[in-house]
Amino acid sequence: MVTMEDVARLAGVSKMTVSNVVNNRAGVSEPVRRRVLEAIRRSGYRVNVSARTLKSGRTGVIGLAVPDVEAAYFGHLASHVIAEARRRGFHVAIEESGANAGGEADAVTRSRTLQFDGLILSAVALDRLEEPADAHYPLVMLGEQDFGGRFDHVAMPNEEGAHAATAHLADQGCRRIAIVTGGSLEGVNMVSRRYRGYRAALAERGLDADPPLLFVLDDMSMEAGRAAAHRLADSGLGVDGVVAVTDTVALGLLRGLADRGLRVPGDVRVAGFDDVPPAAYAVPSLTTVAPDHRWMAAKAVELVVRRIAAPLRPTGRYVAPFQLVVRESSAAG
């Protein structure tokens, strides 16, 4: 069986350097890291996970469960989580929950069954979680559900961000501001919180949140946003501003408004939410609420690592900072 000492001899480094590379620890230069990885590949070395787990009680793996791995926002977030976990010496296993309560609950069960050291869960539909056999399993929640403070919780600035986007459109002169959003307007979730922020900003500026200005989507995809733009353009409502629940929806809106010959921002100003990378490259570029994704990832990893080390410490709730990034889609005429 190939040992770590064999890899070290093949790469011309110390056994400790090989260990640092295997465990993603900092302090190894990129050329040396590549040399060690090539030696691992050539030698066929495999980490004895069972032995390491028995020795340390840990696998060195953190789970990340997200609703949809193809969604631009979750891909962007996952890249930051992976980078931060690597910096702290952990690997990340990513799982898709399907944005349903069953899938999210299963992700928690599987993470424990597979002996992950902890789990970061982006919960969309799950609103209750049965007490696990190990009540102190390291679990950090992303999203809106805080489960009564039972778990560490990193939240998006949903109300604050939607309020800022709506207020910005009003300050740009928009008076008929529509919102294109998902259907879960009741309860505690991302959609309902962003809708509340939208309504609050309108009320503060003396503008009406007329029911016809609410465009509800069956799914929050680009194609759904495009179809909503067609309905909006054909409605005769005189809409001059639109707040989109996500950038993905907003990018579809831009396409749909162009289909109908409406100019953005000349005829309609548009703001999104999330600041995913394509937002800056759209034509026109998209004004959007930009949560600090790097901060969220770093905080979530920090919390799960701290809980791995100290399972009984008090939980906390943390809201990500944000800024409104003003681009061409809402620029002054």
Side-chain angles (χ1 to χ4, degrees):
M1 185 176 67
V2 179
T3 67
M4 192 174 288
E5 288 87 349
D6 297 327
V7 175
R9 281 194 296 271
L10 187 60
V13 299
S14 68
K15 180 181 174 182
M16 179 58 70
T17 298
V18 175
S19 177
N20 288 339
V21 172
V22 167
N23 291 288
N24 278 327
R25 298 191 188 107
V28 181
S29 70
E30 192 55 32
V32 171
R33 184 181 297 275
R34 285 199 296 269
R35 193 161 79 242
V36 171
L37 291 174
E38 175 62 15
I40 289 172
R41 186 191 67 78
R42 288 168 54 197
S43 67
Y45 173 70
R46 295 290 183 270
V47 176
N48 188 333
V49 176
S50 297
R52 185 171 69 177
T53 301
L54 286 172
K55 181 178 179 180
S56 67
R58 299 176 186 172
T59 61
V61 177
I62 295 170
L64 173 65
V66 298
D68 181 2
V69 295
E70 290 189 351
Y73 167 73
F74 291 112
H76 190 47
L77 178 68
S79 68
H80 288 307
V81 169
I82 291 168
E84 180 64 20
R86 181 183 295 121
R87 191 180 72 80
R88 291 175 176 270
F90 286 86
H91 298 276
V92 177
I94 299 176
E95 180 172 354
E96 185 175 75
S97 67
N100 64 76
E104 290 165 2
D106 287 347
V108 177
T109 301
R110 272 193 295 272
S111 69
R112 294 174 60 251
T113 301
L114 294 172
Q115 296 185 328
F116 294 167
D117 293 336
L119 175 68
I120 299 170
L121 172 63
S122 179
V124 174
L126 191 67
D127 58 7
R128 61 189 302 270
L129 191 61
E130 297 297 332
E131 194 73 25
D134 178 4
H136 305 300
Y137 179 69
L139 178 61
V140 173
M141 309 299 297
L142 298 177
E144 295 316 300
Q145 302 295 342
D146 65 5
F147 297 88
R150 288 168 54 200
F151 310 105
D152 288 312
H153 180 209
V154 180
M156 286 276 276
N158 287 308
E159 289 188 45
E160 304 93 326
H163 184 285
T166 307
H168 166 69
L169 294 181
D171 293 344
Q172 291 293 86
C174 299
R175 291 297 175 264
R176 297 284 289 168
I177 303 174
I179 183 168
V180 178
T181 187
S184 304
L185 296 177
E186 302 297 328
V188 179
N189 56 67
M190 175 268 285
V191 170
S192 65
R193 287 190 181 275
R194 293 183 187 180
Y195 184 56
R196 282 199 286 272
Y198 157 82
R199 289 178 61 91
L202 292 182
E204 287 175 10
R205 283 157 174 74
L207 300 175
D208 294 328
D210 290 341
L213 296 177
L214 171 63
F215 289 80
V216 175
L217 308 177
D218 291 331
D219 67 271
M220 291 183 283
S221 64
M222 286 191 195
E223 184 54 37
R226 181 179 186 172
H230 293 169
R231 300 200 325 262
L232 185 151
D234 298 341
S235 68
L237 292 170
V239 171
D240 55 6
V242 184
V243 175
V245 67
T246 67
D247 284 353
T248 298
V249 170
L251 292 170
L253 279 166
L254 294 180
R255 177 67 261 174
L257 292 170
D259 292 344
R260 290 296 193 264
L262 292 175
R263 296 170 300 121
V264 178
D267 298 314
V268 183
R269 291 185 170 91
V270 176
F273 201 120
D274 289 332
D275 197 26
V276 297
Y281 296 93
V283 179
S285 57
L286 180 64
T287 291
T288 184
V289 177
D292 191 331
H293 302 292
R294 192 181 301 276
W295 182 95
M296 290 183 68
K299 178 59 70 174
V301 173
E302 173 199 337
L303 290 169
V304 77
V305 169
R306 286 172 60 192
R307 190 154 296 283
I308 290 168
L312 299 180
R313 69 173 187 79
T315 61
R317 182 178 186 273
Y318 308 85
V319 180
F322 77 95
Q323 61 178 324
L324 182 70
V325 179
V326 178
R327 299 193 180 108
E328 295 165 346
S329 69
S330 69

